[in-house]
Amino acid sequence: IIFLLSIIIILAKKHFLWLIPAAFFYTLAYNGFPLMLVLVSFYTISFLVIEKKFILKPLLYTMTGITLGILIHPNFPHNLYFYWVHIVGIALFPVDIPLGQGWYNYGILKFLQENWFIFSYYILGAVVFLRSIKDKYFHPIYLTIFLLSVLFFVATLRSGIFVFYWVIFSVVFSSIIFKPYLQKIRWSQLLSVVKKEWLFSVSLIVFASIVFMAALFSHKDSRDYLSSGQGVYDYKNASNWLALNSCDEEKVFNPSFDQMPGLFYWNQKNYYVVGLDPTFLYRHDKNLYWQWHKVAYDSPGQDFSLKDLHDILLNDFDTPYLFADTVQQADLIEFIDTEDSSQISFIKKYTDDF
């Protein structure tokens, strides 16, 4: 998002040559770099619509920076496959397997419930902009940000992960639309009206109270959500145990890909079965993916036995190490604890009740 905002500033000031280093570092930093190409394309269209001129430099400079970022990337040429799977195979045309929660449909009702104030601000700004664009000159960057905000709004309804983009760019758009109007307000006169007109004063106080309470509840929900997530120390002891008891580059079977960052943070000597979206495992080997899926999603004892688990770990994934979170995989841990494993050779069990 910071890169996109920086590129908007570059476009607004028409310092197009700076698009090359911006595109280069954006491509190195994040595989969402096609968004930058979309942004610059919107600017080219907006410039054509408002200024009646077609400019090619922004697109050429951006494509140059992206190309350099891809070629000079330390993982080249393996990064090409990564881009293909993440951008095409997940974001645009996902396969029919469970994905990360952020890729699922947000839902219009949930979206309005959680973003009603910003959405109202955005719609009001859009109405003012669309009503004025025929009679008033706007810098092409205004239309550019508007088109970008519309794109992120549509993308958010399809995949909730884009709501972070929409919130930022909808607020930026509405703010620059209302800025000229706010600059015309004489605050001394407004204060005088507030003092004289009690109904206006009460309405203002009610509105301010609603905004304050909405912000307060939103802050509480965000705090509760973040505090209920995985802590950086949750997997420390288990990772240290793995580091001491396993060999370098041995694999660890983890049933959830969001466990990998916490494990890898404390122990970089092992490989983890899923570290990116499970789609990468699916595209690498569909049979292995469904074996992993069985342990990760199916019911232990009903859909697979302890012998099945043993064979999946040792034969399919060539690892004796199974990591199970006491919260996420509570059923799996209980199943292993209660089953008779005397006839099956498992490694020494390690428990860490964080």
Side-chain angles (χ1 to χ4, degrees), residues 26-250:
Y26 191 8
T27 304
L28 286 179
Y30 183 47
N31 64 319
F33 61 85
L35 291 173
M36 181 174 49
L37 202 56
V38 172
L39 168 58
V40 177
S41 298
F42 281 161
Y43 177 79
T44 303
I45 295 171
S46 301
F47 201 91
L48 179 62
V49 170
I50 295 176
E51 302 289 355
K52 309 302 181 185
K53 294 179 183 178
F54 179 74
I55 53 173
L56 198 56
K57 284 184 178 181
L59 279 172
L60 291 177
Y61 290 154
T62 301
M63 293 177 67
T64 299
I66 290 175
T67 303
L68 291 173
I70 291 174
L71 295 177
I72 302 177
H73 197 285
N75 289 327
F76 182 82
H78 304 293
N79 55 333
L80 298 177
Y81 178 74
F82 175 77
Y83 298 149
W84 172 260
V85 174
H86 205 268
I87 296 170
V88 178
I90 298 177
L92 297 179
F93 306 104
V95 293
D96 189 20
I97 61 173
L99 300 173
Q101 189 64 34
W103 291 110
Y104 287 101
N105 187 290
Y106 201 110
I108 186 65
L109 293 179
K110 181 182 178 182
F111 172 82
L112 293 175
Q113 180 183 1
E114 296 182 354
N115 303 282
W116 63 271
F117 182 75
I118 295 177
F119 184 72
S120 302
Y121 183 54
Y122 172 66
I123 291 298
L124 187 59
V127 170
V128 172
F129 175 68
L130 294 175
R131 290 188 62 182
S132 306
I133 194 169
K134 291 183 179 180
D135 306 320
K136 184 180 178 181
Y137 173 81
F138 284 98
H139 192 288
I141 205 67
Y142 285 41
L143 181 57
T144 302
I145 300 175
F146 174 67
L147 293 175
L148 194 65
S149 65
V150 172
L151 173 68
F152 285 137
F153 173 70
V154 175
T156 296
L157 296 182
R158 180 178 181 270
S159 301
I161 195 172
F162 290 103
V163 70
F164 306 108
Y165 289 91
W166 175 82
V167 167
I168 296 296
F169 289 100
S170 63
V171 170
V172 169
F173 166 73
S174 297
S175 298
I176 62 175
I177 291 298
F178 289 126
K179 181 181 177 181
Y181 299 96
L182 293 175
Q183 288 176 333
K184 294 179 181 179
I185 296 178
R186 295 184 178 180
W187 297 103
S188 58
Q189 292 182 353
L190 181 62
L191 184 61
S192 177
V193 172
V194 169
K195 292 179 179 179
K196 293 179 181 178
E197 302 292 337
W198 67 271
L199 186 59
F200 180 80
S201 302
V202 170
S203 301
L204 195 62
I205 292 172
V206 170
F207 176 76
S209 300
I210 292 174
V211 172
F212 175 77
M213 294 303 296
L216 187 65
F217 283 117
S218 177
H219 172 73
K220 182 179 182 301
D221 291 342
S222 299
R223 184 185 60 190
D224 293 343
Y225 172 77
L226 292 174
S227 63
S228 64
Q230 178 183 314
V232 69
Y233 293 100
D234 287 352
Y235 299 160
K236 179 181 179 180
N237 293 337
S239 296
N240 289 341
W241 186 91
L242 279 169
L244 291 172
N245 292 275
S246 64
C247 298
D248 290 350
E249 299 183 358
E250 272 197 294

Side-chain angles (χ1 to χ4, degrees), residues 235 254-256 259 295-296 323-334:
Y235 299 160
N254 54 310
S256 178
Q259 296 167 342
V295 179
F323 178 84
D325 188 306
T326 54
V327 176
Q328 296 183 42
Q329 286 83 42
D331 292 342
L332 180 59
I333 294 174
E334 182 181 2

